[in-house]
């Protein structure tokens, strides 16, 4: 029983087991719909709010107030640094999701970690999105991710951690084409 109540990497083993069992029993609980709302403010500045979502078979009401993200651009890209720019948020989302995915799966597999840090770099040529060169991609042409992991881990466990990072939903979003339906009202 001690193994189930034990916390590994900040996750309670019992909660991992209970969640997995619930999803195995009723796969419909695995469906989630996340939402973001955005409003243009001025120039390159716009603001996103994130609060409600559907998951686990119902609307979630745990968030009492919205998370607010200001999107901006640095002056060299015609902005006033109102916030990180959207492609920087992609790096943030990728870092956060790969880290959480790795740490959660490590916990589920009994791999204890002391710390995890990452550095991400994305290469982007703005000629693409500015319409100056149709041979240049609009988005990142490459993203480099470097993890620094502290823990008493074997080479085999390190290989598992590497595989866990690729189970990240955001990793999937940026490495596979996701259909996007755009509607203009």
């Amino acid at each position: 029983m001690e193994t189930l109540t034990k916390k590994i990497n900040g996750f309670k083993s019992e909660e991992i087991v209970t969640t997995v069992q619930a999803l195995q029993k009723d796969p419909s609980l695995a469906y989630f719909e996340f939402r973001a709302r955005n409003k243009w403010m001025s120039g390159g500045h716009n603001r996103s709010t994130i609060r409600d979502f559907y998951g686990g078979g119902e609307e979630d009401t745990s968030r009492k107030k919205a998370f607010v993200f200001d999107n901006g651009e640095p002056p060299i890209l015609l902005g006033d640094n109102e916030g990180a720019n959207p492609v920087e948020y992609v790096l943030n989302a990728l870092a956060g999701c790969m880290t959480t995915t790795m740490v959660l799966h490590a916990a589920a597999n009994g791999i204890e970690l002391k710390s995890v840090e990452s550095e991400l770099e994305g290469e982007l040529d703005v000629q693409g999105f500015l319409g100056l060169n149709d041979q240049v991609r609009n988005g990142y042409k490459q993203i480099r991710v470097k993890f620094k992991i502290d823990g008493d881990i074997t080479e085999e466990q390190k290989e598992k951690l590497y595989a866990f990072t690729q189970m990240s939903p955001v990793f999937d979003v940026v490495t596979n084409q996701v259909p996007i339906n755009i509607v203009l009202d």
Side-chain angles (χ1 to χ4, degrees), residues 74-160:
I76 196 166
L77 291 175
L78 310 174
D80 290 318
N81 283 323
E82 301 90 343
N85 72 23
V87 293
E88 291 169 315
Y89 277 115
V90 169
L91 294 179
N92 174 56
L94 183 60
C97 195
M98 288 176 73
T99 299
T100 299
T101 301
M102 179 201 317
V103 172
L104 172 62
H105 282 281
N109 284 267
I111 303 171
E112 292 192 52
L113 304 172
K114 292 179 186 171
S115 71
V116 176
E117 297 178 21
S118 62
E119 291 182 19
L120 285 79
E121 297 173 340
E123 294 179 14
L124 189 140
D125 184 335
V126 298
Q127 292 180 85
F129 96 92
L130 290 175
L132 300 174
N133 184 339
D134 61 3
Q135 302 300 306
V136 175
R137 169 184 184 137
N138 293 344
Y140 284 126
K141 71 177 189 175
Q142 180 184 40
I143 296 175
R144 290 180 297 281
V145 181
K146 180 180 177 182
F147 279 99
K148 181 179 177 184
I149 301 167
D150 185 17
D152 189 19
I153 55 175
T154 66
E155 279 304 311
E156 182 182 337
Q157 289 172 322
K158 192 181 263 189
E159 288 176 25
K160 280 185 175 183

